[in-house]
Amino acid sequence: MRIVIADDEALLRDGLSRLLEDAGFEIAGRCGDADALLRMVDARRPDVAIVDIRMPPHAGEDGLLAAQEIRRAHPEIGVLVLSHHLASRYAARLLEEVPERAGYLLKERVSDVAVLADALRRIDEGECVVDPTIVARLMARKRERGPLDELTEREREVLGLIAEGHSNAAIGEQLFLSHKTVESHISQIFLKLGLRESPATHRRVAAVLAYLRTS
């Protein structure tokens, strides 16, 4: 898998590059600002771009805006956004327009190469990945009643693990459920959230997006 890394911290760029190369990934390029990232993605067409939310040239949300532009212009290229900020709104904004092949992790998570590698592979396969810390906070937050309140406690657990990017098999292992039971819970989640099967809709991603919007 070919990866582009964009972060204005040179030490982080170099560290991520070494970690990922040791894990078998190909680093197609590294850069320190959003404009260079867009040019690099256009020229080198990586499989996934790792992007810091806050980067030059304006030191605002340039990285997030660049990630959104990559998803619009190159839907076949995944993006993994990194941030120091624990905020679900960033994840929701990233997934809003083109939710497949996108992820949001806290920077503290990337020191665990297994977690980072798993997130990159899931994104490349078309899933979305949201940091488990954000999922846990959303699960605990008080909010207005909505479709999620129709879910049972077990169904909410399953949806939370889907939001973290886990496969059905991994969900079964974590919750000690059979594959058939996991599929049954997911079917009920789709039904209660009004997500009908459609070739134009990735229902797992749509469920995560509904989760982020209403939590």
Side-chain angles (χ1 to χ4, degrees), residues 51-87:
V51 186
D52 184 21
I53 280 184
R54 297 189 180 277
M55 286 196 302
H58 303 109
E61 297 176 1
D62 296 60
L64 182 61
L65 294 174
Q68 291 174 305
E69 176 59 29
I70 291 169
R71 298 300 298 121
R72 286 192 291 266
H74 306 290
E76 77 283 2
I77 296 176
V79 292
L80 174 59
V81 171
L82 304 180
S83 175
H84 290 299
H85 304 282
L86 184 60

Side-chain angles (χ1 to χ4, degrees), residues 119-149:
L120 290 170
R121 292 189 180 101
R122 292 194 181 285
I123 290 168
D124 187 47
E125 291 169 1
E127 293 284 347
C128 64
V129 177
V130 180
D131 194 282
T133 307
I134 294 174
V135 173
R137 175 170 289 192
L138 291 175
M139 294 284 279
R141 180 180 297 173
K142 292 183 178 180
R143 53 184 170 74
E144 295 181 2
R145 289 188 63 82
L148 291 182
D149 293 292

